[in-house]
mmCIF file of all heavy atoms in Angstrom:
data_model
loop_
_atom_site.group_PDB
_atom_site.id
_atom_site.type_symbol
_atom_site.label_atom_id
_atom_site.label_comp_id
_atom_site.label_asym_id
_atom_site.label_seq_id
_atom_site.Cartn_x
_atom_site.Cartn_y
_atom_site.Cartn_z
ATOM 1 N N ARG P 184 12.084 43.152 -13.326
ATOM 2 C CA ARG P 184 12.202 42.651 -14.701
ATOM 3 C C ARG P 184 11.703 41.207 -14.776
ATOM 4 O O ARG P 184 12.176 40.340 -14.026
ATOM 5 C CB ARG P 184 13.656 42.670 -15.167
ATOM 6 C CG ARG P 184 14.237 44.059 -15.346
ATOM 7 C CD ARG P 184 15.682 43.986 -15.791
ATOM 8 N NE ARG P 184 15.809 43.605 -17.201
ATOM 9 C CZ ARG P 184 15.866 44.460 -18.223
ATOM 10 N NH1 ARG P 184 15.825 45.771 -17.983
ATOM 11 N NH2 ARG P 184 15.969 44.033 -19.471
ATOM 12 N N GLU P 185 10.786 40.939 -15.692
ATOM 13 C CA GLU P 185 10.193 39.602 -15.799
ATOM 14 C C GLU P 185 11.237 38.529 -16.067
ATOM 15 O O GLU P 185 11.172 37.440 -15.483
ATOM 16 C CB GLU P 185 9.160 39.596 -16.930
ATOM 17 C CG GLU P 185 8.382 38.314 -17.031
ATOM 18 C CD GLU P 185 7.542 38.016 -15.794
ATOM 19 O OE1 GLU P 185 6.999 38.964 -15.189
ATOM 20 O OE2 GLU P 185 7.426 36.829 -15.427
ATOM 21 N N ALA P 186 12.201 38.790 -16.929
ATOM 22 C CA ALA P 186 13.204 37.778 -17.266
ATOM 23 C C ALA P 186 14.018 37.398 -16.033
ATOM 24 O O ALA P 186 14.445 36.252 -15.890
ATOM 25 C CB ALA P 186 14.112 38.275 -18.386
ATOM 26 N N ASP P 187 14.246 38.358 -15.133
ATOM 27 C CA ASP P 187 14.968 38.057 -13.897
ATOM 28 C C ASP P 187 14.116 37.188 -12.968
ATOM 29 O O ASP P 187 14.631 36.277 -12.317
ATOM 30 C CB ASP P 187 15.355 39.347 -13.161
ATOM 31 C CG ASP P 187 16.525 40.070 -13.817
ATOM 32 O OD1 ASP P 187 17.268 39.449 -14.607
ATOM 33 O OD2 ASP P 187 16.692 41.276 -13.535
ATOM 34 N N GLN P 189 11.845 35.066 -13.912
ATOM 35 C CA GLN P 189 11.845 33.730 -14.497
ATOM 36 C C GLN P 189 13.133 32.986 -14.183
ATOM 37 O O GLN P 189 13.125 31.791 -13.879
ATOM 38 C CB GLN P 189 11.648 33.814 -16.014
ATOM 39 C CG GLN P 189 10.274 34.304 -16.410
ATOM 40 C CD GLN P 189 9.178 33.448 -15.803
ATOM 41 O OE1 GLN P 189 9.199 32.224 -15.886
ATOM 42 N NE2 GLN P 189 8.202 34.084 -15.168
ATOM 43 N N THR P 190 14.257 33.702 -14.254
ATOM 44 C CA THR P 190 15.543 33.090 -13.952
ATOM 45 C C THR P 190 15.601 32.676 -12.486
ATOM 46 O O THR P 190 16.024 31.565 -12.151
ATOM 47 C CB THR P 190 16.690 34.075 -14.257
ATOM 48 O OG1 THR P 190 16.636 34.427 -15.639
ATOM 49 C CG2 THR P 190 18.048 33.476 -13.946
ATOM 50 N N ARG P 194 15.868 28.753 -11.308
ATOM 51 C CA ARG P 194 17.087 28.283 -10.647
ATOM 52 C C ARG P 194 16.800 27.824 -9.218
ATOM 53 O O ARG P 194 17.423 26.881 -8.732
ATOM 54 C CB ARG P 194 18.162 29.375 -10.665
ATOM 55 C CG ARG P 194 18.793 29.531 -12.048
ATOM 56 C CD ARG P 194 19.798 30.636 -12.118
ATOM 57 N NE ARG P 194 20.422 30.721 -13.439
ATOM 58 C CZ ARG P 194 21.212 31.727 -13.810
ATOM 59 N NH1 ARG P 194 21.463 32.716 -12.973
ATOM 60 N NH2 ARG P 194 21.738 31.733 -15.031
ATOM 61 N N ASP P 198 17.588 24.028 -7.939
ATOM 62 C CA ASP P 198 18.317 23.712 -6.708
ATOM 63 C C ASP P 198 17.508 22.766 -5.818
ATOM 64 O O ASP P 198 18.062 21.836 -5.225
ATOM 65 C CB ASP P 198 18.627 24.998 -5.925
ATOM 66 C CG ASP P 198 19.884 25.701 -6.435
ATOM 67 O OD1 ASP P 198 20.493 25.231 -7.406
ATOM 68 O OD2 ASP P 198 20.244 26.734 -5.840
ATOM 69 N N SER P 200 15.285 20.695 -6.868
ATOM 70 C CA SER P 200 15.290 19.412 -7.570
ATOM 71 C C SER P 200 16.586 18.646 -7.307
ATOM 72 O O SER P 200 16.569 17.433 -7.125
ATOM 73 C CB SER P 200 15.121 19.632 -9.071
ATOM 74 O OG SER P 200 14.994 18.382 -9.745
ATOM 75 N N GLN P 201 17.715 19.347 -7.256
ATOM 76 C CA GLN P 201 18.974 18.675 -6.972
ATOM 77 C C GLN P 201 19.037 18.186 -5.524
ATOM 78 O O GLN P 201 19.447 17.058 -5.264
ATOM 79 C CB GLN P 201 20.175 19.601 -7.231
ATOM 80 C CG GLN P 201 20.574 19.664 -8.694
ATOM 81 C CD GLN P 201 21.004 18.313 -9.233
ATOM 82 O OE1 GLN P 201 22.029 17.777 -8.843
ATOM 83 N NE2 GLN P 201 20.226 17.742 -10.132
ATOM 84 N N GLY P 204 16.289 15.500 -5.262
ATOM 85 C CA GLY P 204 16.542 14.440 -6.237
ATOM 86 C C GLY P 204 17.744 13.572 -5.898
ATOM 87 O O GLY P 204 17.724 12.359 -6.137
ATOM 88 N N ASP P 207 16.860 11.002 -3.650
ATOM 89 C CA ASP P 207 15.914 10.048 -4.253
ATOM 90 C C ASP P 207 14.452 10.472 -4.248
ATOM 91 O O ASP P 207 13.564 9.625 -4.434
ATOM 92 C CB ASP P 207 16.053 8.638 -3.626
ATOM 93 C CG ASP P 207 17.338 7.948 -4.056
ATOM 94 O OD1 ASP P 207 17.988 8.428 -5.016
ATOM 95 O OD2 ASP P 207 17.704 6.932 -3.432
ATOM 96 N N ARG P 214 3.700 25.741 -9.600
ATOM 97 C CA ARG P 214 3.493 27.159 -9.896
ATOM 98 C C ARG P 214 4.738 28.004 -9.614
ATOM 99 O O ARG P 214 4.691 29.225 -9.661
ATOM 100 C CB ARG P 214 2.315 27.706 -9.065
ATOM 101 C CG ARG P 214 0.967 27.082 -9.410
ATOM 102 C CD ARG P 214 -0.195 27.941 -8.935
ATOM 103 N NE ARG P 214 -0.408 27.901 -7.505
ATOM 104 C CZ ARG P 214 -0.670 28.989 -6.768
ATOM 105 N NH1 ARG P 214 -0.697 30.197 -7.313
ATOM 106 N NH2 ARG P 214 -0.887 28.865 -5.475
ATOM 107 N N THR P 263 -0.599 21.270 2.933
ATOM 108 C CA THR P 263 -1.062 22.632 2.660
ATOM 109 C C THR P 263 -1.678 23.236 3.919
ATOM 110 O O THR P 263 -1.402 24.391 4.270
ATOM 111 C CB THR P 263 -2.135 22.640 1.552
ATOM 112 O OG1 THR P 263 -1.671 21.909 0.432
ATOM 113 C CG2 THR P 263 -2.470 24.064 1.134
ATOM 114 N N GLN P 267 -1.125 26.788 5.848
ATOM 115 C CA GLN P 267 -2.232 27.756 5.949
ATOM 116 C C GLN P 267 -2.493 28.115 7.406
ATOM 117 O O GLN P 267 -2.786 29.273 7.727
ATOM 118 C CB GLN P 267 -3.493 27.203 5.281
ATOM 119 C CG GLN P 267 -3.363 27.148 3.763
ATOM 120 C CD GLN P 267 -4.448 26.319 3.094
ATOM 121 O OE1 GLN P 267 -5.047 25.452 3.722
ATOM 122 N NE2 GLN P 267 -4.681 26.566 1.809
ATOM 123 N N SER P 271 -0.853 33.245 6.195
ATOM 124 C CA SER P 271 -1.041 33.467 4.753
ATOM 125 C C SER P 271 0.292 33.429 3.996
ATOM 126 O O SER P 271 1.342 33.772 4.536
ATOM 127 C CB SER P 271 -1.692 34.831 4.529
ATOM 128 O OG SER P 271 -1.587 35.202 3.165
ATOM 129 N N THR P 311 5.216 17.715 -33.214
ATOM 130 C CA THR P 311 6.384 18.605 -33.237
ATOM 131 C C THR P 311 6.887 18.884 -34.649
ATOM 132 O O THR P 311 7.252 20.008 -34.982
ATOM 133 C CB THR P 311 7.529 18.011 -32.394
ATOM 134 O OG1 THR P 311 7.031 17.696 -31.100
ATOM 135 C CG2 THR P 311 8.690 18.988 -32.287
ATOM 136 N N ASP P 312 6.908 17.833 -35.479
ATOM 137 C CA ASP P 312 7.405 18.023 -36.841
ATOM 138 C C ASP P 312 6.304 18.459 -37.810
ATOM 139 O O ASP P 312 6.554 18.632 -38.995
ATOM 140 C CB ASP P 312 8.054 16.728 -37.363
ATOM 141 C CG ASP P 312 9.360 16.392 -36.642
ATOM 142 O OD1 ASP P 312 9.941 17.281 -35.989
ATOM 143 O OD2 ASP P 312 9.806 15.226 -36.743
ATOM 144 N N LEU P 314 2.929 20.535 -36.691
ATOM 145 C CA LEU P 314 2.190 21.762 -36.371
ATOM 146 C C LEU P 314 3.159 22.862 -35.974
ATOM 147 O O LEU P 314 4.318 22.600 -35.677
ATOM 148 C CB LEU P 314 1.254 21.513 -35.170
ATOM 149 C CG LEU P 314 0.306 20.340 -35.244
ATOM 150 C CD1 LEU P 314 -0.559 20.335 -33.985
ATOM 151 C CD2 LEU P 314 -0.584 20.430 -36.483
ATOM 152 N N ALA P 316 4.780 25.383 -33.294
ATOM 153 C CA ALA P 316 5.162 25.014 -31.936
ATOM 154 C C ALA P 316 4.117 25.386 -30.898
ATOM 155 O O ALA P 316 4.028 24.731 -29.853
ATOM 156 C CB ALA P 316 6.508 25.652 -31.592
ATOM 157 N N ASP P 318 0.731 25.487 -31.433
ATOM 158 C CA ASP P 318 -0.404 24.577 -31.572
ATOM 159 C C ASP P 318 -0.054 23.196 -31.021
ATOM 160 O O ASP P 318 -0.911 22.528 -30.426
ATOM 161 C CB ASP P 318 -0.871 24.539 -33.028
ATOM 162 C CG ASP P 318 -1.489 25.874 -33.439
ATOM 163 O OD1 ASP P 318 -1.942 26.638 -32.536
ATOM 164 O OD2 ASP P 318 -1.504 26.196 -34.642
ATOM 165 N N GLN P 325 -3.769 20.558 -23.436
ATOM 166 C CA GLN P 325 -5.142 20.066 -23.306
ATOM 167 C C GLN P 325 -5.131 18.618 -22.805
ATOM 168 O O GLN P 325 -5.944 18.239 -21.954
ATOM 169 C CB GLN P 325 -5.892 20.149 -24.637
ATOM 170 C CG GLN P 325 -5.978 21.544 -25.236
ATOM 171 C CD GLN P 325 -6.456 22.610 -24.253
ATOM 172 O OE1 GLN P 325 -7.465 22.456 -23.569
ATOM 173 N NE2 GLN P 325 -5.724 23.709 -24.188
ATOM 174 N N ARG P 332 -7.163 16.585 -14.273
ATOM 175 C CA ARG P 332 -8.469 16.626 -13.614
ATOM 176 C C ARG P 332 -8.963 15.216 -13.327
ATOM 177 O O ARG P 332 -9.444 14.915 -12.233
ATOM 178 C CB ARG P 332 -9.506 17.328 -14.503
ATOM 179 C CG ARG P 332 -9.553 18.819 -14.408
ATOM 180 C CD ARG P 332 -10.779 19.407 -15.156
ATOM 181 N NE ARG P 332 -10.982 18.833 -16.466
ATOM 182 C CZ ARG P 332 -10.555 19.373 -17.607
ATOM 183 N NH1 ARG P 332 -9.895 20.525 -17.595
ATOM 184 N NH2 ARG P 332 -10.783 18.767 -18.760
ATOM 185 N N ARG P 335 -7.080 13.367 -10.549
ATOM 186 C CA ARG P 335 -7.347 13.957 -9.236
ATOM 187 C C ARG P 335 -8.711 13.500 -8.726
ATOM 188 O O ARG P 335 -8.838 13.076 -7.577
ATOM 189 C CB ARG P 335 -7.305 15.483 -9.351
ATOM 190 C CG ARG P 335 -7.829 16.279 -8.145
ATOM 191 C CD ARG P 335 -7.008 16.065 -6.888
ATOM 192 N NE ARG P 335 -7.544 16.836 -5.766
ATOM 193 C CZ ARG P 335 -8.193 16.293 -4.728
ATOM 194 N NH1 ARG P 335 -8.419 14.979 -4.674
ATOM 195 N NH2 ARG P 335 -8.633 17.063 -3.738
ATOM 196 N N VAL P 345 6.119 17.634 -17.102
ATOM 197 C CA VAL P 345 7.543 17.740 -16.782
ATOM 198 C C VAL P 345 8.405 18.086 -17.985
ATOM 199 O O VAL P 345 9.613 17.928 -17.959
ATOM 200 C CB VAL P 345 8.094 16.461 -16.094
ATOM 201 C CG1 VAL P 345 7.470 16.286 -14.715
ATOM 202 C CG2 VAL P 345 7.869 15.222 -16.953
ATOM 203 N N GLY P 347 8.581 18.495 -22.572
ATOM 204 C CA GLY P 347 8.422 17.659 -23.772
ATOM 205 C C GLY P 347 6.960 17.271 -23.919
ATOM 206 O O GLY P 347 6.090 18.148 -24.005
ATOM 207 N N LYS P 395 9.884 4.696 -15.988
ATOM 208 C CA LYS P 395 10.533 5.053 -17.258
ATOM 209 C C LYS P 395 10.876 3.802 -18.057
ATOM 210 O O LYS P 395 10.712 3.760 -19.285
ATOM 211 C CB LYS P 395 11.838 5.817 -16.998
ATOM 212 C CG LYS P 395 11.707 7.273 -16.588
ATOM 213 C CD LYS P 395 13.108 7.843 -16.362
ATOM 214 C CE LYS P 395 13.183 9.183 -15.727
ATOM 215 N NZ LYS P 395 13.362 10.259 -16.742
ATOM 216 N N ARG X 217 18.216 10.030 -14.671
ATOM 217 C CA ARG X 217 17.495 10.410 -13.449
ATOM 218 C C ARG X 217 16.579 11.613 -13.737
ATOM 219 O O ARG X 217 17.057 12.650 -14.231
ATOM 220 C CB ARG X 217 18.465 10.813 -12.347
ATOM 221 C CG ARG X 217 19.289 9.676 -11.786
ATOM 222 C CD ARG X 217 20.239 10.176 -10.708
ATOM 223 N NE ARG X 217 19.551 10.453 -9.460
ATOM 224 C CZ ARG X 217 19.397 9.580 -8.452
ATOM 225 N NH1 ARG X 217 19.894 8.358 -8.559
ATOM 226 N NH2 ARG X 217 18.749 9.927 -7.344
ATOM 227 N N GLU X 218 15.322 11.509 -13.411
ATOM 228 C CA GLU X 218 14.362 12.562 -13.705
ATOM 229 C C GLU X 218 14.739 13.890 -13.066
ATOM 230 O O GLU X 218 14.621 14.944 -13.703
ATOM 231 C CB GLU X 218 12.964 12.145 -13.218
ATOM 232 C CG GLU X 218 11.881 13.105 -13.607
ATOM 233 C CD GLU X 218 11.686 13.204 -15.118
ATOM 234 O OE1 GLU X 218 11.838 12.202 -15.832
ATOM 235 O OE2 GLU X 218 11.386 14.328 -15.581
ATOM 236 N N ALA X 219 15.201 13.861 -11.829
ATOM 237 C CA ALA X 219 15.531 15.120 -11.144
ATOM 238 C C ALA X 219 16.673 15.842 -11.866
ATOM 239 O O ALA X 219 16.716 17.070 -11.884
ATOM 240 C CB ALA X 219 15.906 14.854 -9.691
ATOM 241 N N ASP X 220 17.602 15.077 -12.467
ATOM 242 C CA ASP X 220 18.684 15.700 -13.221
ATOM 243 C C ASP X 220 18.153 16.325 -14.515
ATOM 244 O O ASP X 220 18.594 17.407 -14.914
ATOM 245 C CB ASP X 220 19.770 14.670 -13.572
ATOM 246 C CG ASP X 220 20.636 14.297 -12.371
ATOM 247 O OD1 ASP X 220 20.671 15.057 -11.380
ATOM 248 O OD2 ASP X 220 21.288 13.234 -12.439
ATOM 249 N N GLN X 222 15.170 17.532 -14.947
ATOM 250 C CA GLN X 222 14.458 18.744 -14.539
ATOM 251 C C GLN X 222 15.435 19.883 -14.271
ATOM 252 O O GLN X 222 15.192 21.036 -14.632
ATOM 253 C CB GLN X 222 13.602 18.468 -13.297
ATOM 254 C CG GLN X 222 12.449 17.528 -13.568
ATOM 255 C CD GLN X 222 11.566 18.044 -14.701
ATOM 256 O OE1 GLN X 222 11.149 19.209 -14.710
ATOM 257 N NE2 GLN X 222 11.286 17.195 -15.676
ATOM 258 N N THR X 223 16.547 19.554 -13.609
ATOM 259 C CA THR X 223 17.552 20.568 -13.305
ATOM 260 C C THR X 223 18.170 21.101 -14.594
ATOM 261 O O THR X 223 18.327 22.311 -14.778
ATOM 262 C CB THR X 223 18.656 19.971 -12.408
ATOM 263 O OG1 THR X 223 18.056 19.521 -11.192
ATOM 264 C CG2 THR X 223 19.727 21.001 -12.081
ATOM 265 N N ARG X 227 17.717 24.992 -15.819
ATOM 266 C CA ARG X 227 18.879 25.872 -15.855
ATOM 267 C C ARG X 227 19.179 26.333 -17.283
ATOM 268 O O ARG X 227 19.612 27.470 -17.497
ATOM 269 C CB ARG X 227 20.093 25.186 -15.233
ATOM 270 C CG ARG X 227 19.995 25.129 -13.705
ATOM 271 C CD ARG X 227 21.143 24.404 -13.077
ATOM 272 N NE ARG X 227 21.044 24.401 -11.616
ATOM 273 C CZ ARG X 227 21.838 23.670 -10.824
ATOM 274 N NH1 ARG X 227 22.767 22.899 -11.351
ATOM 275 N NH2 ARG X 227 21.675 23.727 -9.507
ATOM 276 N N ASP X 231 19.236 30.274 -18.350
ATOM 277 C CA ASP X 231 20.318 30.913 -19.091
ATOM 278 C C ASP X 231 19.787 31.627 -20.333
ATOM 279 O O ASP X 231 20.234 32.726 -20.666
ATOM 280 C CB ASP X 231 21.361 29.875 -19.526
ATOM 281 C CG ASP X 231 22.359 29.548 -18.418
ATOM 282 O OD1 ASP X 231 22.239 30.092 -17.302
ATOM 283 O OD2 ASP X 231 23.267 28.738 -18.686
ATOM 284 N N SER X 233 16.805 32.790 -20.662
ATOM 285 C CA SER X 233 16.069 33.939 -20.145
ATOM 286 C C SER X 233 17.003 35.097 -19.814
ATOM 287 O O SER X 233 16.694 36.255 -20.085
ATOM 288 C CB SER X 233 15.273 33.550 -18.896
ATOM 289 O OG SER X 233 14.457 34.637 -18.468
ATOM 290 N N GLN X 234 18.183 34.803 -19.250
ATOM 291 C CA GLN X 234 19.137 35.863 -18.952
ATOM 292 C C GLN X 234 19.716 36.471 -20.221
ATOM 293 O O GLN X 234 19.817 37.687 -20.357
ATOM 294 C CB GLN X 234 20.284 35.338 -18.080
ATOM 295 C CG GLN X 234 19.921 35.285 -16.617
ATOM 296 C CD GLN X 234 19.598 36.652 -16.045
ATOM 297 O OE1 GLN X 234 20.456 37.525 -15.948
ATOM 298 N NE2 GLN X 234 18.344 36.859 -15.665
ATOM 299 N N GLY X 237 16.762 38.143 -22.012
ATOM 300 C CA GLY X 237 16.157 39.150 -21.131
ATOM 301 C C GLY X 237 17.023 40.374 -20.918
ATOM 302 O O GLY X 237 16.511 41.491 -20.815
ATOM 303 N N ASP X 240 16.568 42.733 -23.520
ATOM 304 C CA ASP X 240 15.208 43.270 -23.526
ATOM 305 C C ASP X 240 14.152 42.404 -24.193
ATOM 306 O O ASP X 240 13.058 42.902 -24.515
ATOM 307 C CB ASP X 240 15.168 44.694 -24.119
ATOM 308 C CG ASP X 240 15.789 45.718 -23.177
ATOM 309 O OD1 ASP X 240 15.992 45.405 -21.985
ATOM 310 O OD2 ASP X 240 16.080 46.838 -23.634
ATOM 311 N N ARG X 247 7.619 24.111 -23.387
ATOM 312 C CA ARG X 247 7.756 22.668 -23.112
ATOM 313 C C ARG X 247 9.172 22.294 -22.681
ATOM 314 O O ARG X 247 9.498 21.130 -22.548
ATOM 315 C CB ARG X 247 7.367 21.848 -24.356
ATOM 316 C CG ARG X 247 5.902 22.010 -24.748
ATOM 317 C CD ARG X 247 5.441 20.858 -25.636
ATOM 318 N NE ARG X 247 5.949 20.942 -26.986
ATOM 319 C CZ ARG X 247 6.427 19.884 -27.676
ATOM 320 N NH1 ARG X 247 6.482 18.694 -27.135
ATOM 321 N NH2 ARG X 247 6.846 20.042 -28.921
ATOM 322 N N THR X 296 8.685 27.997 -36.774
ATOM 323 C CA THR X 296 8.600 26.545 -36.652
ATOM 324 C C THR X 296 8.894 25.886 -37.993
ATOM 325 O O THR X 296 9.668 24.927 -38.065
ATOM 326 C CB THR X 296 7.195 26.111 -36.189
ATOM 327 O OG1 THR X 296 6.805 26.857 -35.057
ATOM 328 C CG2 THR X 296 7.174 24.619 -35.860
ATOM 329 N N GLN X 300 11.402 22.867 -39.113
ATOM 330 C CA GLN X 300 10.849 21.618 -39.639
ATOM 331 C C GLN X 300 11.451 21.303 -41.002
ATOM 332 O O GLN X 300 11.729 20.143 -41.321
ATOM 333 C CB GLN X 300 9.319 21.684 -39.711
ATOM 334 C CG GLN X 300 8.681 21.661 -38.330
ATOM 335 C CD GLN X 300 7.205 22.037 -38.345
ATOM 336 O OE1 GLN X 300 6.728 22.707 -39.274
ATOM 337 N NE2 GLN X 300 6.482 21.613 -37.313
ATOM 338 N N SER X 304 13.832 16.876 -38.746
ATOM 339 C CA SER X 304 13.050 16.495 -37.567
ATOM 340 C C SER X 304 13.757 16.890 -36.272
ATOM 341 O O SER X 304 14.990 16.935 -36.191
ATOM 342 C CB SER X 304 12.841 14.983 -37.558
ATOM 343 O OG SER X 304 12.395 14.563 -36.268
ATOM 344 N N THR X 344 -4.981 30.181 -2.685
ATOM 345 C CA THR X 344 -3.756 29.714 -2.028
ATOM 346 C C THR X 344 -3.924 29.484 -0.536
ATOM 347 O O THR X 344 -3.423 28.494 0.008
ATOM 348 C CB THR X 344 -2.595 30.707 -2.273
ATOM 349 O OG1 THR X 344 -2.491 30.940 -3.671
ATOM 350 C CG2 THR X 344 -1.288 30.176 -1.735
ATOM 351 N N ASP X 345 -4.644 30.400 0.124
ATOM 352 C CA ASP X 345 -4.830 30.261 1.569
ATOM 353 C C ASP X 345 -6.047 29.419 1.922
ATOM 354 O O ASP X 345 -6.339 29.221 3.100
ATOM 355 C CB ASP X 345 -4.972 31.643 2.227
ATOM 356 C CG ASP X 345 -3.672 32.458 2.192
ATOM 357 O OD1 ASP X 345 -2.600 31.869 1.946
ATOM 358 O OD2 ASP X 345 -3.743 33.683 2.400
ATOM 359 N N LEU X 347 -7.621 26.485 -0.507
ATOM 360 C CA LEU X 347 -7.682 25.126 -1.048
ATOM 361 C C LEU X 347 -6.350 24.428 -0.843
ATOM 362 O O LEU X 347 -5.338 25.067 -0.552
ATOM 363 C CB LEU X 347 -7.945 25.180 -2.564
ATOM 364 C CG LEU X 347 -9.143 25.958 -3.049
ATOM 365 C CD1 LEU X 347 -9.241 25.800 -4.571
ATOM 366 C CD2 LEU X 347 -10.416 25.502 -2.386
ATOM 367 N N ALA X 349 -2.949 22.785 -2.189
ATOM 368 C CA ALA X 349 -2.095 23.368 -3.221
ATOM 369 C C ALA X 349 -2.337 22.774 -4.608
ATOM 370 O O ALA X 349 -2.123 23.450 -5.613
ATOM 371 C CB ALA X 349 -0.631 23.232 -2.831
ATOM 372 N N ASP X 351 -5.358 21.571 -5.753
ATOM 373 C CA ASP X 351 -6.634 22.056 -6.242
ATOM 374 C C ASP X 351 -6.521 23.513 -6.675
ATOM 375 O O ASP X 351 -7.149 23.917 -7.668
ATOM 376 C CB ASP X 351 -7.723 21.823 -5.202
ATOM 377 C CG ASP X 351 -8.003 20.326 -5.036
ATOM 378 O OD1 ASP X 351 -7.701 19.555 -5.974
ATOM 379 O OD2 ASP X 351 -8.486 19.922 -3.959
ATOM 380 N N GLN X 358 -6.767 25.470 -15.293
ATOM 381 C CA GLN X 358 -7.991 25.512 -16.102
ATOM 382 C C GLN X 358 -8.198 26.927 -16.663
ATOM 383 O O GLN X 358 -8.580 27.085 -17.823
ATOM 384 C CB GLN X 358 -9.216 25.083 -15.290
ATOM 385 C CG GLN X 358 -9.129 23.688 -14.687
ATOM 386 C CD GLN X 358 -8.706 22.611 -15.685
ATOM 387 O OE1 GLN X 358 -9.271 22.497 -16.766
ATOM 388 N NE2 GLN X 358 -7.713 21.809 -15.327
ATOM 389 N N ARG X 365 -6.420 28.913 -25.265
ATOM 390 C CA ARG X 365 -7.163 28.502 -26.458
ATOM 391 C C ARG X 365 -7.877 29.707 -27.064
ATOM 392 O O ARG X 365 -7.834 29.924 -28.286
ATOM 393 C CB ARG X 365 -8.205 27.444 -26.100
ATOM 394 C CG ARG X 365 -7.726 26.031 -26.082
ATOM 395 C CD ARG X 365 -8.900 25.034 -25.971
ATOM 396 N NE ARG X 365 -9.875 25.397 -24.960
ATOM 397 C CZ ARG X 365 -9.893 24.933 -23.710
ATOM 398 N NH1 ARG X 365 -8.971 24.071 -23.308
ATOM 399 N NH2 ARG X 365 -10.822 25.332 -22.853
ATOM 400 N N ARG X 368 -5.560 32.294 -28.736
ATOM 401 C CA ARG X 368 -4.970 31.751 -29.968
ATOM 402 C C ARG X 368 -5.987 31.800 -31.095
ATOM 403 O O ARG X 368 -5.678 32.255 -32.203
ATOM 404 C CB ARG X 368 -4.501 30.310 -29.712
ATOM 405 C CG ARG X 368 -4.126 29.501 -30.964
ATOM 406 C CD ARG X 368 -2.893 30.063 -31.670
ATOM 407 N NE ARG X 368 -2.552 29.263 -32.840
ATOM 408 C CZ ARG X 368 -2.785 29.655 -34.096
ATOM 409 N NH1 ARG X 368 -3.371 30.830 -34.359
ATOM 410 N NH2 ARG X 368 -2.419 28.884 -35.109
ATOM 411 N N VAL X 378 3.453 31.899 -16.339
ATOM 412 C CA VAL X 378 4.805 32.273 -15.932
ATOM 413 C C VAL X 378 5.040 32.118 -14.433
ATOM 414 O O VAL X 378 6.001 32.662 -13.893
ATOM 415 C CB VAL X 378 5.173 33.706 -16.378
ATOM 416 C CG1 VAL X 378 5.264 33.792 -17.903
ATOM 417 C CG2 VAL X 378 4.189 34.742 -15.851
ATOM 418 N N GLY X 380 3.106 31.417 -10.320
ATOM 419 C CA GLY X 380 2.140 32.050 -9.417
ATOM 420 C C GLY X 380 0.759 31.942 -10.011
ATOM 421 O O GLY X 380 0.288 30.831 -10.271
ATOM 422 N N LYS X 428 2.977 45.415 -16.583
ATOM 423 C CA LYS X 428 3.008 45.174 -15.134
ATOM 424 C C LYS X 428 2.497 46.406 -14.377
ATOM 425 O O LYS X 428 1.764 46.285 -13.388
ATOM 426 C CB LYS X 428 4.434 44.892 -14.660
ATOM 427 C CG LYS X 428 4.981 43.514 -14.982
ATOM 428 C CD LYS X 428 6.428 43.445 -14.465
ATOM 429 C CE LYS X 428 7.215 42.244 -14.873
ATOM 430 N NZ LYS X 428 7.220 41.204 -13.811
#
Side-chain angles (χ1 to χ4, degrees):
Chain P
R184 292 179 75 91
E185 186 63 36
D187 285 341
Q189 292 304 311
T190 300
R194 285 177 178 171
D198 277 2
S200 186
Q201 278 298 292
D207 288 347
R214 295 199 286 137
T263 309
Q267 289 167 337
S271 166
T311 307
D312 291 343
L314 307 183
D318 292 337
Q325 302 310 310
R332 275 190 315 263
R335 168 64 180 108
V345 293
K395 283 179 190 262
Chain X
R217 291 179 75 92
E218 186 64 35
D220 285 340
Q222 293 304 310
T223 300
R227 285 177 178 171
D231 277 2
S233 186
Q234 278 298 294
D240 288 345
R247 296 200 286 137
T296 310
Q300 290 167 337
S304 165
T344 308
D345 292 344
L347 306 183
D351 292 337
Q358 302 311 309
R365 274 191 314 264
R368 168 66 179 105
V378 293
K428 284 178 189 262

